[in-house]
Amino acid sequence: MGQAVSVHDLVQSHRITAVIYAAAKLNLAEAIGADVKSAAELATLVDADESALRRLLVGLTTVGLCTQFDRDRFAMTSLGRQIDATADPSFKDWVLFEGEMLLQSWSGLVDSVRTGRTATQLRGDGDDRYAATINAPEWTRLFNAAMVSLTRTLVPKIVAAHDFASARVVMDVGGGTGELISGVLHRNPHLEGIAFDLARCEAGAHAHLDRLGLADRCRFVAGSFFQPLPAGADTILMKSILHNWNDDRCDVILRNCSDALPAGGSLIVIERIMPELAKAEAGDLYCALSDLNMLRGPGGCERTEAEYRELAVLAGFAFIETAGIGSFSLIHFRKISD
């Protein structure tokens, strides 16, 4: 990532988020499809003012999501099609989550930097953002859908980076509605699976596993990873879990994983890895922004590889290897002994 021309250019980035969110909320990608359509036609399809919609389409063209053919006709680019719910990959649910939930949270970043406290703590709602949202079904729906859209793009990379041939039962701890575990099972027919998460994810997980024909090979277990985990798995997956929590809470999670695994069992941690020294590069930018999102949101942080290794070793694991999987890394540990 090269240097920006000025701070003026950088500080307007939130406007791009708003433009993409508006397009996703209006279902523009679905309305355009693979065709070239006029602003007038699209205004009728998405129930918008023609002149205002044309201005939005021009904005989308400047960020690469649309192509403009003449003054009033537009098509989606391959990038733009990623906000179509039916696309592969589709990041529409993540765009909606970013625009409706995360964008609001970031407006209070100054308060979190001044105090070191999360948005939930500053509101006086306790220390656990996830517990605070237990009675917020819309937040849960948006969050789960956003996580699914991100996880779906990583599954092929995870399966390519780790050989599950010697595993028999894999448990995805904090597995949501089962996107990751179902992808691993689909590509490894010999495996059985356990999706472990809070009870509010259960209905969605059952529906997902039934739809994929995996209900006979994977069961959902409701619970908290701050409590003892179900036994029976020889491999535990955890994607984007540890970065949500401070070191003390991570220690509890990791020790519960160790207690649930047999000697020699595998722990696979999938997280972004913070650089030891940050540079003005795209990968470092995404990691740093995620780290600040953890400061404002659940209270955790992004960590270096050395910091993840230290946490796991203290909980009774030995480090095996780290593999890059796009913007994330897969860190493989093995339980030393019972």
Side-chain angles (χ1 to χ4, degrees):
M1 180 179 179
Q3 292 291 328
V5 174
S6 71
V7 169
H8 176 268
D9 302 316
L10 289 173
V11 80
Q12 297 185 75
S13 299
H14 68 99
R15 301 184 186 186
I16 297 174
T17 301
V19 165
I20 298 172
Y21 168 76
K25 193 70 174 177
L26 287 168
N27 299 316
L28 260 180
E30 291 89 342
I32 295 176
D35 302 324
V36 178
K37 291 184 178 176
S38 69
E41 183 180 3
L42 289 169
T44 299
L45 290 172
V46 303
D47 190 24
D49 176 82
E50 179 184 342
S51 176
L53 181 61
R54 182 188 172 279
R55 294 162 72 174
L56 177 65
L57 289 161
V58 169
L60 289 165
T61 299
T62 66
V63 295
L65 272 67
C66 283
T67 299
Q68 185 174 10
F69 286 88
D70 53 38
R71 176 174 172 77
D72 290 308
R73 294 190 309 138
F74 299 84
M76 301 303 295
T77 64
S78 58
L79 183 67
R81 280 191 285 274
Q82 292 181 8
I83 59 170
D84 184 330
T86 65
D88 183 17
S90 171
F91 291 101
K92 181 173 185 174
D93 287 319
W94 186 274
V95 170
L96 296 176
F97 184 59
E98 189 84 39
E100 295 179 20
M101 298 296 179
L102 295 187
L103 189 63
Q104 297 174 29
S105 174
W106 274 68
S107 66
L109 181 60
V110 170
D111 296 327
S112 289
V113 172
R114 286 191 186 280
T115 65
R117 296 171 68 79
T118 68
T120 303
Q121 291 169 333
L122 287 166
R123 288 196 304 267
D125 293 336
D127 293 334
D128 188 340
R129 178 183 71 174
Y130 301 99
T133 59
I134 193 168
N135 294 317
E138 180 59 13
W139 188 94
T140 299
R141 186 193 67 77
L142 278 171
F143 177 81
N144 285 340
M147 293 305 107
V148 164
S149 70
L150 179 59
T151 299
R152 187 171 291 153
T153 66
L154 286 176
V155 169
K157 298 173 184 176
I158 291 168
V159 173
H162 183 79
D163 185 0
F164 288 90
S166 62
R168 291 293 173 264
V169 181
V170 178
M171 176 164 60
D172 187 4
V173 172
T177 56
E179 185 67 31
L180 175 54
I181 191 66
S182 64
V184 171
L185 294 181
H186 178 71
R187 291 164 176 81
N188 292 274
H190 70 285
L191 289 177
E192 294 184 4
I194 303 169
F196 180 87
D197 210 320
L198 298 173
R200 63 190 181 194
C201 298
E202 185 167 7
H206 283 310
H208 179 67
L209 294 168
D210 285 341
R211 186 166 58 251
L212 295 179
L214 292 170
D216 60 332
R217 291 172 53 206
C218 188
R219 60 192 175 96
F220 182 92
V221 178
S224 166
F225 41 56
F226 294 115
Q227 303 297 324
L229 300 175
D234 53 62
T235 301
I236 285 178
L237 294 172
M238 281 200 300
K239 178 197 160 291
S240 301
I241 300 299
L242 296 179
H243 78 151
N244 288 299
W245 308 100
N246 63 30
D247 287 359
D248 290 341
R249 300 275 256 175
C250 285
D251 184 65
V252 174
I253 297 169
L254 288 167
R255 289 182 187 278
N256 285 336
C257 289
S258 180
D259 290 343
L261 285 170
S266 287
L267 171 67
I268 300 169
V269 173
I270 300 160
E271 296 282 1
R272 290 183 174 90
I273 298 293
M274 278 291 280
E276 294 287 350
L277 294 174
K279 299 180 179 66
E281 298 175 353
D284 290 6
L285 170 64
Y286 298 144
C287 203
L289 292 179
S290 182
D291 182 55
L292 290 169
N293 193 44
M294 295 303 102
L295 168 65
R296 183 63 184 160
C301 62
E302 303 298 345
R303 296 175 171 88
T304 65
E305 180 183 321
E307 288 170 330
Y308 277 119
R309 289 173 65 168
E310 182 179 0
L311 285 172
V313 167
L314 289 172
F317 292 96
F319 170 75
I320 304 301
E321 62 180 349
T322 297
I325 49 171
S327 59
F328 285 75
S329 292
L330 183 152
I331 317 173
H332 182 197
F333 299 98
R334 183 165 289 129
K335 181 178 175 179
I336 297 173
S337 62
D338 286 322

